Amino acid sequence: MEDLKQANLRRSKIEQWVDEPFFDKTMIGAFVRINLSKRDIIVAEVKNVKDDEDNVYSLTNGKKTGKYLKLLVTEDTEEKLKWYKINQISNQDISENEFKLTVKIRSMSKV
């Protein structure tokens, strides 16, 4: 759990780094906290980063970006990985319950 907390990136840090040259490489393999529904928050692994200049959106810090994160939530198969905007990432630390929910979901999916 402590190792995962150290690998967790909050939205504020991601927004701070979004225009840096090391951003894409640094993000891959990082863990983020994301809402699956109003009640379920889960830890997801960043598998890829893309820059879609045709679909720019505003971040909470006022910057604009076309960066999207491809996240592993359940199964590590291409059809199950989904793209998320940075502003969908949580700015909170991972809780023990969220970690347990992630382990449960991934074990059911055999990730």
Side-chain angles (χ1 to χ4, degrees):
M1 176 69 189
E2 289 305 313
D3 289 341
L4 184 59
K5 280 187 178 181
Q6 290 177 1
N8 176 50
L9 287 177
R10 291 178 170 206
R11 183 183 65 243
S12 59
K13 182 58 74 178
I14 296 169
E15 289 179 343
Q16 181 183 344
W17 289 348
V18 72
D19 295 324
E20 298 295 336
F22 59 80
F23 181 80
D24 293 9
K25 190 173 184 179
T26 300
M27 288 306 302
I28 295 174
F31 291 89
V32 296
R33 185 177 179 262
I34 191 157
N35 295 333
L36 290 181
S37 68
K38 291 183 180 187
R39 293 183 315 141
D40 293 328
I41 298 170
I42 194 164
V43 180
E45 182 182 355
V46 179
K47 299 300 273 186
N48 203 352
V49 177
K50 75 174 177 179
D51 196 353
D52 186 349
E53 294 179 9
D54 293 330
N55 290 298
V56 174
Y57 59 94
S58 295
L59 300 173
T60 62
N61 65 0
K63 289 182 181 178
K64 294 194 179 284
T65 189
K67 297 271 187 179
Y68 289 79
L69 306 177
K70 194 170 214 179
L71 301 180
L72 166 61
V73 175
T74 55
E75 296 177 46
D76 196 1
T77 59
E78 191 59 36
E79 62 272 3
K80 294 288 185 176
L81 300 176
K82 294 184 181 171
W83 292 103
Y84 290 86
K85 294 178 180 178
I86 293 168
N87 59 11
Q88 293 175 281
I89 304 301
S90 173
N91 207 32
Q92 304 297 315
D93 286 329
I94 298 167
S95 74
E96 186 76 29
N97 287 340
E98 292 158 359
F99 176 72
K100 288 177 182 177
L101 176 62
T102 301
V103 170
K104 180 180 176 183
I105 289 173
R106 288 194 177 182
S107 66
M108 290 186 323
S109 302
K110 296 180 176 75
V111 172

